[in-house]
Amino acid sequence: MCQGDDPNCHAYEEHRRRFRRELEPERRAFLKSGFVATGAAAAAFATGGPSLVSPALAQASCAKFAATGHYHVPANAETVHWGFFSRSLRPQIEIGSGDFVTIETLTHQASDDAERMIQGDPGAESVYLWTKDKMGVSPRGAGPMDAKIGPGGGLGVHICTGPVAVRGAEPGDVLEVRILDVAPRPSANPKYKGLAFGSNAAAWWGFHYKDLITGDKPREVVTIYEVDATGARDWARAVYSFRWPGVTDPFGVEHPTIDYPGLPVDHTKTQKTFDVLKGIRVPIRPHFGTIGLAPAEADRVNTIPPSYTGGNIDNWRIGKGATLYFPVAVPGALFSVGDPHASQGDSELCGTAIECSLTGTFQFVLHKKADLPGSPLEALDFPMIETKDDWVLSGFSYPNYLRDLGPDAQAAIFEKSSIDLAMRDAFRKMRQFLMHAKGLTEDEAISLMSVAVDFGITQVVDGNWGVHAVVKKAIFPDRSA
């Protein structure tokens, strides 16, 4: 999957020329935003339109660029960490501000259909390797190595590629991450050439689980979806579904429910139902469910609950063309990305999205703490999403649950999550944004939120539930960004 970043590729030079041609508009837009744009015109970044990065901040950050490079981080057993963020992880690469990185990501649900999502793919095979004597990647989660259900205890399930260290990043800085491209990872099985696949699990942690009205109750059902990996078709279709059969893993541990990541499903023990969702086309919107930086509060942090440095935000708007802003909490920032999705609705109600391996190309821009005063990013202490048309603020039940809930935070958050609390947090963050970044009074901000800001449920399945607030850029035509 070379994009001009793998010197061992037989077509390396051609791929590199093509990639640089595709990125040239992004480079020109950034330079223009930093050195030409003024006043209300503001910065036309990769997102298009006004940006949170003012011309003055863009100029200060741009001045620190060295010659930009383009790197590649594959997904394999040596480059991923499964189920946790950590301030102590060894970086896979160190980059400079302004650099581009193509990062491969694998879904943690690929073993639901290994034939379609793992077989023949060396990277995926190395990650999912599990015999009675060996696991390709261990631990899987932030729990103890001797956990009964497997090393790491499944306290965190997402396969994350990274981390990527950003040279010069320090606590108090803000890291801007632009998503320039997102593409599905094609099946490596020749039987499914040109296709990619994903899995949706209606599982025990889903919002629906104790509210079923037909059939056996409770039950877990997995649905496998097909995506056109060539990009010719912009929708997914369901292929088949099956009831979770219970799995005995290669270590001999029984798993009656989906309680540990990467469990190898034996399809001789499943009953597949074909023609599910027949004739229904699910629009794809590829995005990364888990994306962010290492937090400072603990050495190993479960990937499931999101927090102030990002993580498992699970917002479908985090796709191609989006820009994210993260507060840096540890030296080097330590960026990781995973939990790739082909599509998801707001709420992720039944437990997962269409979990589908993706490859993304990102640009990283470091904004130093000393340059932030007077800019909209000055007080940023949460992950913020910017698209071409919108600013999207992420509210959580607890803005920083690791700090707010004390030494047992990583367990307590699953008992204390609340949509009410997440809504309150989203409201407070939007009020602050409108007052600080847009110069409104509190009364103006409250009125505007009621008539022009959309609040939506991001997710109710991850712990630290989420509510996002979306405000259109177009309602500020005469105000500087």
Side-chain angles (χ1 to χ4, degrees), residues 12 148 171 173 191 224 243 275 289 335 338 382 403 435 439 473 480:
Y12 168 70
K148 182 178 179 180
D173 298 342
K191 289 171 60 176
I224 301 299
R243 288 272 299 273
D275 291 332
F335 171 88
F382 60 92
R403 176 198 64 202
M435 294 175 68
K473 295 179 178 181
S480 65

Side-chain angles (χ1 to χ4, degrees), residues 92-127:
Q92 297 300 321
I93 56 170
E94 183 181 66
I95 65 168
S97 181
D99 283 348
F100 300 84
V101 187
T102 295
I103 303 176
E104 299 176 12
T105 64
L106 296 173
T107 173
H108 56 282
Q109 297 287 145
S111 55
D112 289 342
D113 189 330
E115 180 186 19
R116 287 172 169 83
M117 291 188 271
I118 299 175
Q119 187 176 322
D121 184 326
E125 288 178 341
S126 72
V127 169

Side-chain angles (χ1 to χ4, degrees), residues 77-79 81 86-93 162-165 334 336:
E78 303 302 318
T79 61
H81 47 104
S86 176
R87 62 195 179 194
S88 300
L89 280 170
R90 177 184 61 83
Q92 297 300 321
I93 56 170
V164 173
L334 299 184
S336 295

Side-chain angles (χ1 to χ4, degrees), residues 23-351:
L23 288 187
E24 192 57 34
E26 310 290 353
R27 289 191 173 93
R28 289 199 301 269
F30 185 82
L31 292 172
K32 181 178 180 181
S33 70
F35 296 108
V36 179
T38 58
F45 278 68
T47 53
S51 169
L52 288 178
V53 179
S54 65
L57 180 57
Q59 186 169 11
S61 300
C62 218
K64 298 179 177 67
F65 281 13
T68 55
H70 178 207
Y71 302 87
H72 178 238
V73 183
N76 58 50
E78 303 302 318
T79 61
V80 306
H81 47 104
W82 198 325
F84 62 93
F85 287 91
S86 176
R87 62 195 179 194
S88 300
L89 280 170
R90 177 184 61 83
Q92 297 300 321
I93 56 170
E94 183 181 66
I95 65 168
S97 181
D99 283 348
F100 300 84
V101 187
T102 295
I103 303 176
E104 299 176 12
T105 64
L106 296 173
T107 173
H108 56 282
Q109 297 287 145
S111 55
D112 289 342
D113 189 330
E115 180 186 19
R116 287 172 169 83
M117 291 188 271
I118 299 175
Q119 187 176 322
D121 184 326
E125 288 178 341
S126 72
V127 169
Y128 275 91
L129 174 66
W130 191 355
T131 68
K132 65 183 181 66
D133 301 313
K134 182 180 181 181
M135 295 180 82
V137 176
S138 179
R140 300 181 183 184
M145 290 295 292
D146 61 353
K148 182 178 179 180
I149 60 173
L155 301 178
V157 299
H158 308 102
I159 300 172
C160 295
T161 308
V164 173
V166 180
R167 194 176 304 113
E170 299 169 307
D173 298 342
V174 169
L175 184 65
E176 176 183 351
V177 180
R178 304 176 186 174
I179 305 176
L180 305 181
D181 194 23
V182 182
R185 186 183 185 95
S187 174
N189 188 327
K191 289 171 60 176
Y192 306 109
K193 184 177 180 180
L195 300 174
F197 296 90
S199 173
N200 166 253
W204 60 266
W205 61 88
F207 195 80
H208 71 292
Y209 191 64
K210 296 181 179 179
D211 197 6
L212 296 168
I213 59 174
T214 64
D216 295 335
K217 300 184 284 287
R219 61 184 180 272
E220 293 181 307
V221 177
V222 175
T223 305
I224 301 299
Y225 286 82
E226 175 192 287
V227 174
D228 186 338
T230 69
R233 190 177 73 212
D234 63 356
W235 48 271
R237 71 175 186 92
V239 181
Y240 69 91
S241 66
F242 65 92
R243 288 272 299 273
W244 181 256
V247 168
T248 301
D249 71 34
F251 290 165
V253 178
E254 294 184 2
H255 301 268
T257 61
I258 307 171
D259 61 359
Y260 190 76
L263 293 171
V265 175
D266 181 356
H267 280 285
T268 65
K269 298 180 179 179
T270 66
Q271 183 174 342
K272 297 179 181 178
T273 301
F274 292 90
D275 291 332
V276 293
L277 295 171
K278 189 172 182 179
I280 293 177
R281 298 181 175 186
V282 179
I284 62 169
R285 37 195 186 192
H287 63 282
F288 299 98
T290 299
I291 183 170
L293 314 182
E297 286 74 8
D299 188 56
R300 185 172 287 183
V301 177
N302 185 333
T303 59
I304 294 175
S307 192
Y308 73 106
T309 55
N312 191 28
I313 303 172
D314 272 337
N315 191 313
W316 60 261
R317 297 157 184 86
I318 305 175
K320 182 176 180 178
T323 294
L324 288 93
Y325 302 90
F326 300 103
V328 176
V330 300
L334 299 184
F335 171 88
S336 295
V337 61
D339 190 23
H341 298 163
S343 196
Q344 179 200 304
D346 285 333
S347 86
E348 202 180 21
L349 186 140
C350 79

